[in-house]
Amino acid sequence: MRRFLRIIVVLALSAAGIFSCKSQYDVIMESSDVDAKYAAAMDYFNRGKYQKAAQLFESMSFLTTGTERDDTVQYYWGLSNYRFKDYYTAESNFAKFLESFPRSVFAEEAMFYRLDCLYRASDRYELDQTGTRTCLAAIDRFEKEHPGESAYTPALEAMKKDLNGRLDRKAYENALLYYKMEYYKSSQVALRNVLKDNSENIYREDILYYIAMSSYNYAKMSVPAKQKERYLVFIDDYLNFIGEFPDSRYRHELDVLYRRVRKETGQDGGAAVADVENN
C-alpha cells in the first residue's frame, strides 16, 4: 500500500513540474553566457561528444557574430558535424565559413574538410556523377589556391584517382551496353567516342578490345557484299590493339579472329601474317 502511495506521489509531483530539473547541458544550451557556452562546447568536442558540441556551437553562433571568436565558432561548428559524420551539414558549414572567412587561419583546413564532405557524398559510378564532377572541380580550385606540395596532397590525389576512375568506368560501361545488346555498329561509335573524350581512360585496353570485337561482329553479320570492307576495319582495329597491348590477355582471341578474317578476305599467307604472329 505504501509503495502504491509513493508511486502516486511521484506521478503527481511530475505532473506538477516539481521533477522538471534540467541537465547541465540543457542549462548551458539555454544560457546566453558566451564564455560558458564556448568552454562547454570545446569540452564536449575534446571528449568526442561531437553532436552536443555541434549543437552548442550552433546555439552560440549568433552571439559571437562580429567578435574575434566568430570564425573559431563557425569552424568548430562545421568540424563537430564532420566528426559526427553528418557530412551534408558539415559541407554546408564549411562552405559558409569559407565565404565569410576566406583568410582565416582555419581556411585551408576548412577547404579540405569541405572537399572530403563532397567526396563522401559523391555516388558510385552506376549513379549520376554530378557530385563527382563537383568534387573534382573543387579539388582543382584547392590546388590552384594552394600551389605546390600540401599536407593534404596525398589525400587529394587519392580522391582524384578514385573520382576519375568512376567517370572512366561510367563512360566505359555506358558504351559497352551497346555491345552487350549486340548493337555492334553503335558500340563501335560509342566506344571510340569514349577514347575521343578521354584518351587516357583507365579501361583503354578493354575499350580497344571491344572496338575490335564490335568491328568483327558487325562485319560478320553484314551482307556478303559489305563484309570485306567491314572486315578491313577489324584488321585496322586489331593492329591498333596489338600495337598498344602486345601482351594483352585478349591477344590470343584476337589473333584467331585476325587469321580467320585474312582467310575470309583472301589475304592469308605471306609476310604480313608472319609479322603479326611474331609480335
Side-chain angles (χ1 to χ4, degrees):
M1 181 67 178
R2 290 180 179 178
R3 182 179 179 185
F4 176 75
L5 289 174
R6 282 199 298 270
I7 293 173
I8 296 298
V9 170
V10 168
L11 291 175
L13 291 174
S14 297
I18 295 176
F19 277 37
S20 61
C21 56
K22 297 178 181 178
S23 68
Q24 182 181 9
Y25 174 77
D26 292 329
V27 172
I28 295 172
M29 275 291 291
E30 295 178 4
S31 171
S32 59
D33 186 334
V34 175
D35 291 336
K37 275 182 177 287
Y38 183 81
M42 292 302 295
D43 180 59
Y44 279 119
F45 180 87
N46 291 328
R47 289 192 289 122
K49 307 292 184 181
Y50 299 120
Q51 185 178 30
K52 288 186 174 181
Q55 291 169 344
L56 281 170
F57 283 121
E58 180 180 8
S59 74
M60 80 175 83
S61 61
F62 73 96
L63 297 173
T64 57
T65 300
T67 70
E68 61 182 16
R69 279 182 178 166
D70 197 0
D71 67 328
T72 303
V73 168
Q74 296 288 341
Y75 172 71
Y76 274 95
W77 179 13
L79 189 58
S80 296
N81 281 318
Y82 177 86
R83 295 281 177 84
F84 186 61
K85 299 184 179 181
D86 181 358
Y87 299 118
Y88 179 82
T89 304
E91 190 278 324
S92 179
N93 289 146
F94 289 128
K96 180 181 177 182
F97 173 87
L98 290 166
E99 183 179 350
S100 301
F101 310 104
R103 297 180 181 177
S104 167
V105 294
F106 301 114
E108 183 177 357
E109 291 179 1
M111 187 176 290
F112 171 76
Y113 285 126
R114 177 176 179 255
L115 286 174
D116 195 44
C117 291
L118 291 172
Y119 173 71
R120 292 171 186 273
S122 59
D123 292 314
R124 61 184 189 272
Y125 82 89
E126 300 97 328
L127 303 177
D128 180 74
Q129 293 300 296
T130 300
T132 298
R133 293 184 176 87
T134 298
C135 188
L136 282 168
I139 292 174
D140 286 341
R141 286 196 297 273
F142 181 97
E143 291 178 334
K144 288 177 182 177
E145 293 179 21
H146 302 86
E149 192 72 14
S150 163
Y152 301 114
T153 297
L156 293 175
E157 289 302 313
M159 286 183 197
K160 286 172 64 176
K161 183 177 180 180
D162 181 51
L163 294 170
N164 282 314
R166 294 183 204 179
L167 296 179
D168 285 355
R169 180 77 180 272
K170 180 82 169 182
Y172 165 55
E173 294 287 353
N174 284 349
L176 187 61
L177 185 61
Y178 291 106
Y179 182 87
K180 292 178 178 179
M181 296 171 64
E182 300 184 358
Y183 297 157
Y184 297 120
K185 180 60 177 177
S186 296
S187 67
Q188 278 181 310
V189 174
L191 289 163
R192 292 185 199 281
N193 283 339
V194 171
L195 294 182
K196 183 178 179 181
D197 292 338
N198 177 19
S199 62
E200 297 181 359
N201 187 296
I202 61 174
Y203 298 96
R204 183 176 178 87
E205 179 181 354
D206 301 274
I207 293 169
L208 289 174
Y209 163 75
Y210 281 109
I211 287 174
M213 291 300 296
S214 297
S215 298
Y216 175 81
N217 285 303
Y218 182 57
K220 183 180 179 182
M221 295 173 63
S222 298
V223 297
K226 293 184 177 291
Q227 279 188 329
K228 182 173 182 179
E229 174 189 350
R230 292 172 180 175
Y231 274 135
L232 292 175
V233 175
F234 163 75
I235 290 175
D236 286 342
D237 293 335
Y238 164 82
L239 294 173
N240 185 40
F241 179 87
I242 65 168
E244 286 198 41
F245 303 101
D247 300 317
S248 170
R249 65 188 185 279
Y250 299 124
R251 176 66 189 268
H252 176 71
E253 180 184 5
L254 291 177
D255 283 348
V256 171
L257 296 180
Y258 174 76
R259 287 192 291 268
R260 185 180 300 168
V261 165
R262 288 188 64 84
K263 185 176 181 179
E264 289 284 337
T265 57
Q267 300 179 55
D268 57 320
V273 174
D275 288 343
V276 170
E277 292 181 344
N278 287 331
N279 281 332

